[in-house]
Structures are given as C-alpha cells and as structure tokens.
Amino acid sequence: MIMIDTPESASPVASSPSLDTVDVVIVGAGFAGLYALYKMRQCGFSTRVFEAGEDVGGTWYWNRYPGCRCDVESIHYSYQFDEGLQQDWVWTERYATQPEILAYIQHVADRFDLRKDIDFNTRVTAATWQDQEACWLVETGSGNKVRARFCIMASGPLSMPNKPEFPGLGTYKGDTYHPGLWPHEGVDFTGKRVAIIGTGSSAIQAIPLIAEQAAHLTVFQRTANYAIPAANRPLEPGELDAVKTDYPALRAKGKLYPTTIPADPAGPSALEVSEEERERIFDEWWQTKGLMFQATFADLMYNDDANALVSDFVRRKIQSIVDDPDIAAILAPKNSFGCKRMCVDTDYYKTFNRDNVTLVDVSEVSIDRIARDGIVIGDTTYEADAIIFATGYDAMTGALTKMDIRGKNGLSLRDKWHEGPASYLGLAIHGFPNMFIINGPGSPSALVSMVTGAEHHVDWIADCMTHLQDTCSHSIEAGKPAEDAWVVHNREVGAASLRSACDSWYLGANIPGKPRVFMPYLGGFVAYDEKCKQVVHDGYEGFEIA
Ligand code: N01
C-alpha cells in the first residue's frame, strides 16, 4: 500500500477525511480492467475497480446479440499471464462465442478472487486531479467519491454505443435494440418483421441468424463492407493440446508480428505473382484464414494496385454467392479493401438469397425518419415490429470523454481532445498525471488482439508505478514534446496505410462532428513494443516525473 502524502490544505479532498483512499482506481472490469486489478494486487497496490455492469466481462458482458463471437482465434484472444490458466481453460471452437468468452472471463474472476475489489453497477462519472495532494478524486454516478494516487482507464475502445438521432424515433411503437446493449434474456424474433440499420461487424454476425428466425428482415446498408468467411469450426481433438505443449512459445512468436497474431503473408506483394497463382492463394486464404485474409500479401494495405486486386477478388466472390446480380452489386464494397475494419461472417452474403430478406441501399438516399410503424424513406415505409440499430460505437475516445475527466489546472479531457485525441504511446496524456489508458488512442489497440494489447499495457503501467514507488516519486506525466511527436508519428504511419483511406470509426468519421484522426497506432505491435521498452530503458524518456 502506498501512502499518499496529504499536505494540510483547504481543498475538498483534504477536508474530507472520511473519503476512501486507495492507491489505484481502475475504471472497467473487462479483459483489461481484470488483468490490471490482478497485477496491481501482485505489486502490492490497494485497488478499487468500478464497473457499470452488474458483473465482469466488459464488451462480452454487454454484447449478447445473436451470432456474437470474436473474430480473433480463441487461442490468441485469451490471457497469457498465467500458465496454469492457459493450460486449464478449454476452448471449444476456433472462434469463441460470446457466452464462452464471458464464461472464461467469469472463470478468471473466480480463479483469482477478483470480484471482491470490484464495485458493480457503478459508473464513474468524473475524475479530477488534485494538484496539491497529487491524487485523483474519482466520482461515481451514485455520488460516491474515492481518492486514488493512480487512475487506470480500462473503459474499452468500443464500449460507448453510437445511437444516431433519427427523427421520429420517439413515435415508433415497436421494440428497439443496439447490439452493445442486448437484453440478457435474449430476444425471440419468431414471426416478427425486423429491420436492422448498419452492416458492420455486429450486423454481419447477427443478420444470418436473425433472418433464420424472423418472418422478414430488412437490412439498411449505407456502406457495403468487406466480409471474409470466418472459417469457424470446432477445435479438432488434440489441436488445443498441441498448442498447450508450448503455449508460451506461441505467445512469444505472436509478439514478433504487427497484429500479435502469427500469420506470415504468402508473399511480399500481390503484384509479384502470376494472375493464376494470386487467384489460387487468395482463394486458399479466403477459404481458411478468416480475418487474417487481410494479410495474404504484405502490401495489400500499402499499395493501391495490390489493394485493387484483393478488392476485386472479394467483389467477384460476392457476385458468385449472391443470386441476384442487382443485390450483389449493392453488397459489393466500393471502398478500398481494409480501410474500414474488416468483418468476418458465416453465411452473410448467402443470407441475401433468402426470400424473407430485403436489402435497402441507403448510400445515396438516407433514412428520412422513423415513424410509428417503421422506417421511412421518401414515400416508402418499411414496416417493422423491431428495429436493431447496429450503428456502432463512439470508438476509442467515447468512453473516456463521456466521463468528466479534469487534469492539471482543471483542464478537461474533452477540451484537450477537441481537435482529436493526443497521447504519448496511447498510454498517458500531457496534463493528466498518474492517469493511464489501456488500449487508448495512439496505441495498437484494435489492430492487435486486444487481450494481448491490454496485458502489454498493464505490465508497462505496473512497472512504471513500481519505478515511481522505488524512486519515491509522486507522479508521472507525459511531456508535451513527446506527446506532440507521438501524435505526428501516428499521423505519418496512419497516412502511409490505405486503412486511413475512407470514412470509418478508426478515424472517428462515424460520429458527426468528431475530429478525423486515425486513432489506433498503425506502426504495428513490434515497433510499438520496442518504443515502449526504449522509453523505459532511457529513464522514462518523454515523461516528466515529479
Ligand atoms: O459498428 P460499425 P459494429 N444510417 O461502426 C452504419 C468490433 N466488433 O458494431 O459504414 C445508416 O462497424 C454504418 O454505416 P457507415 C470491431 O472492431 C468486433 O458493427 O458508417 N447507417 C455501419 O454500417 C468492429 O469494427 C466483432 O456508412 C448507419 C454500421 O452502422 C467494431 O466493433 C463483432 C448510420 C456500424 O458499423 C464496430 O462494429 C462486433 C446511419 N445514420 C464488433 N449510422 C468481432 O470480433 C451508422 N450506420 C467479430
């Protein structure tokens, strides 16, 4: 337990001796927050976690829509910090379902007795830096206040649902849903006319299953997305055991790859192989690799011509699956391959061959309003008993700016990030001492296995806090020059990639008024990890330690 040296002062904190004081407050009890709690305990820091949900799980607690599963393979989308855990847990499928992932997270909470330090049903509304005491005053929705020397934001990059304000929504008489706020008891769409707005990862997973159940499903697509067959399957007998014979080696290997997932491209360039060979390779990867199809050739995201080849391949696949050429044409993406976050699917395109599914193109003509009976475009009302708003998230920054976070001199994070998020390493923010973000903007985050990314961040943060303790230092803060340089570096590596070539949540383009900045770090995990290590090696270069 670190004792906070609290000087005499007239501040509200100092005059409230009854306030609970801990070394660390962690916001969120998903993958990141749970490991942070485990690690903080190991380091001897007293810790309190606040979680808005009524149990652990984060994303996997809230997202319970039909078809919800992870598109990173289970053997990579899991913790590696405890060998006993990774030996004991048995994944049943190549890509785990939401219930299986949630059961895993609950197992971790039980196994390490984590729940006792978590306040559930508790949303953090504000965190204010107390300059004199060098600590954070953290406030919750119920008005409780806790002070903590450190604040770790594990609030998730894709946890703040985006619910566009469609005119007339209040008049709608049916039921409405968002994938990220799905009812725990599930929803039975049998006999119902269902409408779904959006065709991102969530919708692409849900649409085939809802179409099987509902009387009719109407899909409103604004931008056609690239969806790759998930190639999901049960894990073969012995397959997981083989991984477990040397799991640490697989994990170590993953850290040598930009995405933390070992997958060697078939070649450096799609342009350097014959047309027949390229087609054969694309087809093989299309059938088997799921999300990693995007890594078939190393230049797909960096060379316009290579990107055009893979884009064309996927469009032809869609034409071969969808019976009606007009529908296939609407479903064929117009953007560069990979500029929006890739989706994986099970029978998504095939679903549009069903008689009970209608595709409505809202790319040129947008939804006018929502009326009592359904969705209105021009003179047409698409009647629906239920509408699913699969409209995504205020990604990377939304969960953070929702809280009233105020750093030194009352500087608000919302104001600081008015022109776009600025951070050093995606971990720390100038003006906000002793606050760390896990998988924050400016870190690889959504471009790697987020569990691996979270563990990497937590380990770095724990080492940093231990360093402060060992050197009797009060606080650490990202220096302005280092933060500025990191922002510039992020923009440079982002601009070099075709991932930044179209509107997407990566850029904040899905939220009206949000500044367009490519938010995840595109330099790859290897370069990022090296930079994090170099910063430590050079005495926390770029940080200011008080
Ligand atoms: O959200 P999205 P998501 N009118 O933002 C449309 C992760 N994830 O929840 O593209 C009409 O991708 C919007 O259209 P457009 C993963 O990282 C992972 O599906 O903006 N349409 C788009 O089609 C993923 O990328 C998994 O033109 C409107 C859709 O809504 C991220 O979460 C599963 C609209 C939103 O798509 C987000 O995915 C699920 C409007 N006013 C999620 N507003 C797996 O691991 C928005 N849209 C598999």
Side-chain angles (χ1 to χ4, degrees):
M1 164 100 180
I2 290 179
M3 298 306 295
I4 294 175
D5 182 14
T6 311
E8 291 299 316
S9 137
S11 83
V13 173
S15 62
S16 308
S18 62
L19 279 185
D20 281 353
T21 301
V22 289
D23 297 327
V24 192
V25 156
I26 297 169
V27 181
F31 268 110
L34 286 188
Y35 178 54
L37 169 58
Y38 170 86
K39 189 79 185 181
M40 292 303 125
R41 268 194 204 161
Q42 268 203 332
C43 294
F45 296 114
S46 63
T47 306
R48 185 105 157 250
V49 181
F50 294 116
E51 165 56 54
E54 59 185 26
D55 197 11
V56 297
T59 284
W60 302 103
Y61 169 86
W62 297 103
N63 279 266
R64 297 172 189 239
Y65 60 87
C68 181
R69 65 172 75 233
C70 187
D71 57 13
V72 175
E73 287 185 65
S74 316
I75 56 169
H76 301 300
Y77 194 82
S78 45
Y79 289 121
Q80 54 189 284
F81 70 85
D82 186 86
E83 181 59 10
L85 171 65
Q86 65 179 5
Q87 285 297 328
D88 289 351
W89 186 260
V90 179
W91 295 108
T92 63
E93 291 181 75
R94 187 177 179 203
Y95 300 100
T97 58
Q98 175 271 334
E100 192 166 76
I101 299 172
L102 186 59
Y104 170 76
I105 302 176
Q106 289 169 340
H107 167 78
V108 171
D110 292 340
R111 186 175 181 120
F112 301 104
D113 195 16
L114 297 176
R115 282 192 182 82
K116 67 181 181 198
D117 290 325
I118 306 173
D119 287 9
F120 293 106
N121 300 306
T122 307
R123 187 175 286 281
V124 169
T125 51
T128 312
W129 175 250
Q130 311 291 304
D131 225 6
Q132 284 186 308
E133 296 85 354
C135 72
W136 285 93
L137 183 65
V138 179
E139 294 175 56
T140 70
S142 53
N144 286 338
K145 293 181 185 173
V146 175
R147 59 184 169 186
R149 184 173 167 206
F150 297 99
C151 212
I152 298 179
M153 294 300 180
S155 44
L158 288 155
S159 55
M160 185 52 56
N162 169 40
K163 291 182 270 183
E165 288 175 13
F166 290 99
L169 181 57
T171 65
Y172 179 58
K173 72 169 197 303
D175 299 320
T176 60
Y177 304 96
H178 187 288
L181 298 166
W182 204 259
H184 287 199
E185 64 281 12
V187 184
D188 184 0
F189 290 118
T190 307
K192 299 254 171 78
R193 297 162 304 171
V194 181
I196 184 162
I197 301 174
T199 51
S201 293
S202 305
I204 281 174
Q205 288 185 322
I207 283 168
L209 294 176
I210 296 173
E212 278 175 16
Q213 193 180 58
H216 195 91
L217 176 65
T218 309
V219 178
F220 293 82
Q221 175 193 277
R222 189 165 68 181
T223 309
N225 240 321
Y226 289 87
I228 311 304
N232 187 37
R233 54 175 173 75
L235 288 171
E236 307 281 344
E239 198 177 349
L240 190 58
D241 296 333
V243 167
K244 289 179 179 177
T245 55
D246 198 354
Y247 218 149
L250 179 68
R251 301 299 203 164
K253 189 174 175 194
K255 289 182 182 157
L256 303 175
Y257 287 79
T259 58
T260 70
I261 297 160
D264 292 311
S269 172
L271 305 169
E272 287 176 6
V273 287
S274 69
E275 194 177 333
E276 294 73 35
E277 181 65 352
R278 186 169 54 235
E279 194 74 4
R280 186 193 65 73
I281 294 170
F282 274 151
D283 204 53
E284 185 190 321
W285 282 58
W286 170 269
Q287 307 288 352
T288 57
K289 300 285 186 176
L291 193 62
M292 295 319 288
F293 174 79
Q294 62 193 335
T296 311
F297 292 98
D299 61 348
L300 296 184
M301 305 294 177
Y302 292 94
N303 180 305
D304 284 323
D305 294 335
N307 190 282
L309 290 170
V310 71
S311 304
D312 178 60
F313 174 85
V314 179
R315 287 183 201 122
R316 282 186 283 114
K317 278 288 180 195
I318 296 168
Q319 281 159 8
S320 73
I321 299 167
V322 179
D323 296 338
D324 183 331
D326 293 338
I327 295 178
I330 298 171
L331 289 168
K334 317 290 179 285
N335 291 321
S336 309
F337 173 86
C339 69
K340 274 184 185 292
R341 206 279 195 174
M342 199 69 63
C343 307
V344 298
D345 77 285
T346 302
D347 296 337
Y348 174 65
Y349 294 117
K350 216 167 102 183
T351 299
F352 292 91
N353 295 335
R354 295 177 66 103
D355 292 338
N356 72 332
V357 175
T358 305
L359 177 65
V360 180
D361 181 1
V362 289
S363 59
E364 308 268 313
V365 198
S366 50
I367 293 167
D368 284 325
R369 63 192 167 87
I370 303 210
R372 187 173 176 277
D373 295 319
I375 296 173
V376 182
I377 300 175
D379 295 337
T380 309
T381 299
Y382 296 88
E383 294 190 359
D385 305 308
I387 302 176
I388 301 164
F389 294 90
T391 43
Y393 296 86
D394 184 355
M396 307 293 297
T397 57
L400 294 164
T401 53
K402 172 97 175 160
M403 294 177 267
D404 186 10
I405 300 175
R406 289 177 188 270
K408 280 161 104 177
N409 305 315
L411 173 66
S412 109
L413 187 64
R414 288 176 199 145
D415 289 345
K416 160 120 187 171
W417 283 0
H418 186 64
E419 304 287 321
S423 75
Y424 186 30
L425 304 174
L427 267 169
I429 308 164
H430 176 66
F432 297 79
N434 288 6
M435 174 175 285
F436 299 103
I437 320 168
I438 301 179
N439 284 329
S443 75
S445 55
L447 301 178
V448 298
S449 165
M450 281 210 262
V451 184
T452 306
E455 283 182 297
H456 179 256
H457 268 176
V458 169
D459 290 343
W460 192 97
I461 293 164
D463 287 348
C464 173
M465 289 167 55
T466 306
H467 171 78
L468 294 185
Q469 190 177 15
D470 292 347
T471 55
C472 299
S473 308
H474 268 293
S475 65
I476 185 164
E477 179 186 348
K480 182 86 169 77
E483 182 177 271
D484 288 346
W486 189 249
V487 168
V488 170
H489 174 59
N490 263 268
R491 288 192 183 163
E492 282 168 358
V493 290
S497 167
L498 293 168
R499 281 192 198 273
S500 56
C502 70
D503 285 350
S504 71
W505 62 254
Y506 288 143
L507 276 160
N510 62 328
I511 304 296
K514 192 165 172 173
R516 294 198 179 196
V517 174
F518 196 92
M519 293 180 283
Y521 175 65
L522 255 171
F525 180 81
V526 181
Y528 179 77
D529 182 37
E530 270 169 22
K531 173 71 181 172
C532 289
K533 286 181 178 139
Q534 172 256 309
V535 164
V536 175
H537 178 266
D538 294 344
Y540 289 89
E541 186 217 2
F543 284 93
E544 290 159 9
I545 295 180

